[in-house]
Amino acid sequence: MQYQIETATGQDTETIVQFQLDMARESEDNKLDYATVREGVKAAIEDDSKATYLLAKAPETGDVLGCLMLTTEWSDWCNAPYYWIQSVYVRPTARRKGVFRELFEFAKIVAQSENAAALRLYVDKNNNVAQRVYQSLGMHDSHYLMYEL
């Protein structure tokens, strides 16, 4: 592994908040509310049942280069959890250098260690760059559509 993959702590809150604000702006041209995102990140870091953030850090400096959030959903059909990758962000200067690949591989190990039925994510239908990255890692379209209210 080229990067250190670690679980986020409270000290990482501001970095993750900034990543989420940047990700929403870059991928969906969406300006999120800082205070709301900060409280959401804090809640997840403080309560593992909500989510777990994985961070990729530069081994020389410890700088956070990217992150993703893992959440779970219980499947009664499979009697196993589905793991979801969410809130993916890699600093622009660290893109195309394997940061997300290492985060993804670590998330895959976590999911497999919990006997997950699947490792899933959703992506904006117009984010073709991200879709190509996910496909290059062996992921494929699901036969499910997503709806919301």
Side-chain angles (χ1 to χ4, degrees):
M1 267 193 172
Q2 184 178 353
Y3 305 103
Q4 294 172 272
I5 307 299
E6 300 178 5
T7 301
T9 67
Q11 294 175 333
D12 301 304
T13 300
E14 290 305 319
T15 299
I16 296 169
V17 169
Q18 191 58 56
F19 281 3
Q20 298 318 301
L21 296 173
D22 291 346
M23 182 264 303
R25 183 181 39 76
E26 288 176 24
S27 66
E28 299 180 26
D29 197 27
N30 189 354
K31 186 175 192 293
L32 301 177
D33 178 68
Y34 169 84
T36 301
V37 173
R38 187 171 195 286
E39 290 308 306
V41 169
K42 280 176 47 182
I45 289 174
E46 292 170 2
D47 182 354
D48 288 344
S49 72
K50 287 182 173 41
T52 300
Y53 287 100
L54 299 179
L55 306 177
K57 294 185 175 183
E60 323 77 49
T61 63
D63 292 341
V64 180
L65 303 175
C67 77
L68 63 75
M69 182 176 74
L70 278 178
T71 60
T72 59
E73 166 191 357
W74 183 253
S75 170
D76 54 353
W77 285 14
C78 299
N79 189 30
Y82 286 109
Y83 269 72
W84 285 87
I85 293 173
Q86 300 180 64
S87 300
V88 173
Y89 189 78
V90 175
R91 290 184 189 276
T93 56
R95 291 180 188 161
R96 304 190 63 79
K97 296 181 180 176
V99 173
F100 177 71
R101 177 176 295 278
E102 288 193 24
L103 285 165
F104 175 79
E105 291 300 328
F106 195 92
K108 208 162 71 169
I109 290 167
V110 170
Q112 289 169 341
S113 75
E114 296 294 324
N115 297 311
L119 179 60
R120 294 177 165 171
L121 58 77
Y122 53 86
V123 59
D124 187 278
K125 61 186 173 187
N126 297 314
N127 192 342
N128 296 318
V129 172
Q131 290 173 41
R132 284 192 299 274
V133 169
Y134 303 144
Q135 290 165 359
S136 76
L137 295 170
M139 298 189 88
H140 55 82
D141 293 16
S142 170
H143 65 275
Y144 293 103
L145 293 176
M146 186 175 189
Y147 287 82
E148 67 182 328
L149 178 63

